[in-house]
């Protein structure tokens, strides 16, 4: 899961995907000259020069060290997606928040969702959105004192899911699978590809965001929340 951008969005007249591909090439070569000469990305060398300067001006490449910044890395990891009507995206988000609330009210659940933060095009209520960009603050139920108790509970709960994997790389993978199944359903909706556990990507982007779910306050009507930073 990661950050997504509209494939038609433009920065300084160039598609976002152009910056993404240019930065990916720069990570391989670490050479400004080679970035500018990327024939697979730029039709003309001057286009490469413009994009390189924009990367410096926008903090995607650090001027002092020449290294790709965290914001630049986030862009490289992002996806370019088609747009979806706003109302459809709202319904998908409402369904997700209902599942989150159900998880938090399940006394047998191991994981809890403490907060959900929304950012991007859906938060801005654009007419069409590329993805539902959310950051999720997650914790463990205090009912289970340690990892062994969590894994034991997970094994018991998995008996209710015949479609669960038969083998696990790590014991705690069972806990993560149950959490994902609870909040995303049997099949994660494509619009929720931007959902991210933790706040690292959101912090690195430094974009406006809105608190749309707070477990302590037990509120989850995202369109009624007004906490924006």
């Amino acid at each position: 899961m990661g950050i997504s951008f509209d494939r038609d969005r433009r920065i300084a007249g160039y598609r976002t995907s152009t910056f993404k591909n240019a930065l990916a090439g720069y990570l391989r070569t670490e050479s400004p000259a080679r970035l500018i000469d990327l024939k697979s990305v730029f039709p003309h060398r001057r286009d490469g020069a413009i994009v390189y300067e924009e990367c410096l001006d926008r903090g995607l490449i650090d001027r002092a060290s020449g290294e790709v910044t965290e914001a630049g890395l986030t862009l490289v990891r992002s996806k370019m997606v088609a747009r979806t009507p706003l109302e459809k995206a709202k319904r998908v988000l409402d369904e997700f928040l209902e599942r989150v609330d159900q998880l938090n009210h399940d006394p047998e659940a191991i994981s809890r969702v403490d907060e959900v933060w929304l950012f991007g095009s859906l938060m801005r209520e654009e007419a069409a959105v590329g993805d539902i960009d959310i950051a999720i603050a997650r914790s463990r139920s205090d009912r289970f004192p340690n990892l062994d108790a969590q894994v034991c509970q997970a094994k018991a709960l998995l008996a209710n899911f015949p479609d669960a994997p038969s083998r696990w790389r790590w014991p705690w993978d069972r806990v993560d699978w149950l959490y994902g199944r609870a909040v995303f359903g049997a099949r994660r909706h494509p619009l929720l590809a931007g959902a991210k556990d933790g706040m690292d990507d959101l912090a690195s982007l430094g974009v406006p965001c809105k608190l749309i779910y707070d477990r302590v306050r037990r509120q989850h009507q995202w369109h009624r929340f007004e906490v924006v930073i």
Side-chain angles (χ1 to χ4, degrees), residues 106-228:
D106 181 357
E108 299 297 315
I110 304 166
S111 301
R112 300 294 184 215
V113 173
D114 297 320
E115 295 177 347
V116 179
W117 290 83
L118 176 70
F119 58 104
S121 54
L122 182 53
M123 189 204 77
R124 296 188 297 270
E125 297 201 24
E126 296 180 2
V129 302
D131 210 343
I132 298 175
D133 293 310
I134 52 177
I136 306 167
R138 173 184 168 195
S139 63
R140 304 293 190 202
S141 170
D142 55 11
R143 177 184 169 205
F144 305 99
N146 51 48
L147 180 59
D148 288 341
Q150 295 170 14
V151 172
C152 183
Q153 173 72 353
K155 289 179 178 178
L157 293 176
L158 285 169
N160 300 317
F161 298 93
D163 60 330
S166 57
R167 295 184 179 181
W168 306 90
R169 183 178 180 183
W170 305 107
W172 53 85
D173 286 346
R174 297 177 174 87
V175 177
D176 292 337
W177 188 90
L178 286 165
Y179 159 75
R181 179 60 177 269
V183 298
F184 297 114
R187 185 174 182 180
R188 183 189 295 223
H189 196 286
L191 284 174
L192 290 169
K196 175 68 175 177
D197 273 336
M199 302 295 166
D200 291 345
D201 278 354
L202 182 56
S204 67
L205 284 173
V207 296
C209 54
K210 178 187 291 186
L211 178 65
I212 60 171
Y213 183 92
D214 186 332
R215 180 167 66 91
V216 175
R217 292 163 61 183
R218 293 187 178 181
Q219 292 178 295
H220 61 280
Q221 294 299 320
W222 73 267
H223 52 283
R224 296 179 184 173
F225 261 83
E226 297 298 338
V227 182
V228 182

Side-chain angles (χ1 to χ4, degrees), residues 16-42 48 51-52 55 60-61 66-68 72-73 75-77:
T16 308
S17 58
T18 299
F19 282 80
K20 171 185 168 74
N21 295 333
L23 286 169
Y26 184 76
L27 283 170
R28 292 192 298 269
T29 65
E30 297 183 345
S31 167
R34 291 186 179 182
L35 182 154
I36 292 170
D37 285 327
L38 278 174
K39 292 182 172 59
S40 60
V41 179
F42 305 114
V51 168
Y52 175 67
C55 286
L60 302 175
I61 297 176
E67 296 181 353
V68 178
L73 292 172
L75 179 56
V76 172
R77 294 192 295 262

Side-chain angles (χ1 to χ4, degrees), residues 71-86:
L73 292 172
T74 298
L75 179 56
V76 172
R77 294 192 295 262
S78 68
K79 296 180 181 180
M80 303 297 138
V81 298
R83 309 295 283 181
T84 299
L86 177 63

Side-chain angles (χ1 to χ4, degrees), residues 80-94:
M80 303 297 138
V81 298
R83 309 295 283 181
T84 299
L86 177 63
E87 291 306 317
K88 179 178 179 179
K90 285 183 176 181
R91 290 194 295 271
V92 173
L93 181 56
D94 283 338

Side-chain angles (χ1 to χ4, degrees), residues 11-15 18-19 22 32 35-37 42-58 60-61 63:
I11 302 173
Y14 296 90
R15 293 181 185 273
T18 299
F19 282 80
L35 182 154
I36 292 170
D37 285 327
F42 305 114
H44 304 288
R45 196 170 189 272
R46 66 174 180 273
D47 297 306
I50 293 171
V51 168
Y52 175 67
E53 285 298 324
E54 287 291 334
C55 286
L56 295 174
D57 291 343
R58 295 171 184 271
L60 302 175
I61 297 176
R63 284 187 180 275

